[in-house]
């Protein structure tokens, strides 16, 4: 029984495999809503071309609408960085769709060793 308890404690404290920017982008491309929800903070915010939505379900809905309406072809990470206090991670992505090229800005916060998305911003790339 002690071994099972120890195993449970060890497994529960291991960060979710694949937590981070790349697996999140893969979930966006696939529009895997259940996977997306695993990465979002309950108070996450998304801004898509100056339209804001807050809350896990609203963020997934807004992101899903954007991906469906714009016909996303590719989404790749351009830059990743860690804040000085190592309490947050940021990422910048490039999204190419039928409606043009966009920049995707992601802000993750670390909670209990997991990287959870706090904010997503999608803006039309003017370059």
């Amino acid at each position: 029984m002690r071994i099972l308890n120890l195993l449970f404690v060890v497994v529960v404290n291991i960060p979710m495999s694949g937590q981070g920017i790349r697996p999140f982008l893969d979930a966006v491309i696939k529009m895997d809503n259940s996977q997306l929800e695993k990465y979002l903070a309950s108070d996450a915010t998304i801004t898509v071309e100056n339209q804001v939505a807050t809350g896990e379900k609203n963020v997934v809905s807004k992101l899903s609408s954007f991906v469906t309406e714009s016909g996303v072809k590719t989404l790749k990470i351009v830059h990743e960085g860690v804040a000085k206090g190592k309490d947050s991670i940021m990422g910048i992505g490039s999204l190419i769709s039928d409606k043009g090229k966009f920049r995707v800005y992601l802000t993750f916060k670390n909670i209990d060793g997991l990287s959870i998305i706090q904010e997503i911003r999608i803006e039309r790339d003017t370059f």
Side-chain angles (χ1 to χ4, degrees), residues 15-80:
M16 275 178 26
S17 63
Q19 278 288 334
I21 296 173
R22 182 73 251 159
F24 174 76
L25 296 180
D26 290 342
V28 170
I29 291 291
K30 295 175 187 171
M31 272 323 303
D32 184 345
N33 291 357
S34 63
Q35 194 67 15
L36 287 174
E37 289 175 2
K38 292 179 183 179
Y39 292 99
L40 296 172
S42 59
D43 61 345
T45 301
I46 186 169
T47 305
V48 178
E49 297 190 296
N50 298 320
Q51 296 178 4
V52 179
T54 302
E56 184 179 320
K57 298 288 184 193
N58 293 331
V59 169
V60 170
S61 176
K62 185 79 167 168
L63 189 56
S64 178
S65 294
F66 174 78
V67 169
T68 302
E69 292 169 9
S70 66
V72 173
K73 294 179 181 177
T74 63
L75 179 54
K76 64 181 179 178
I77 193 66
V78 175
H79 178 74
E80 290 181 67

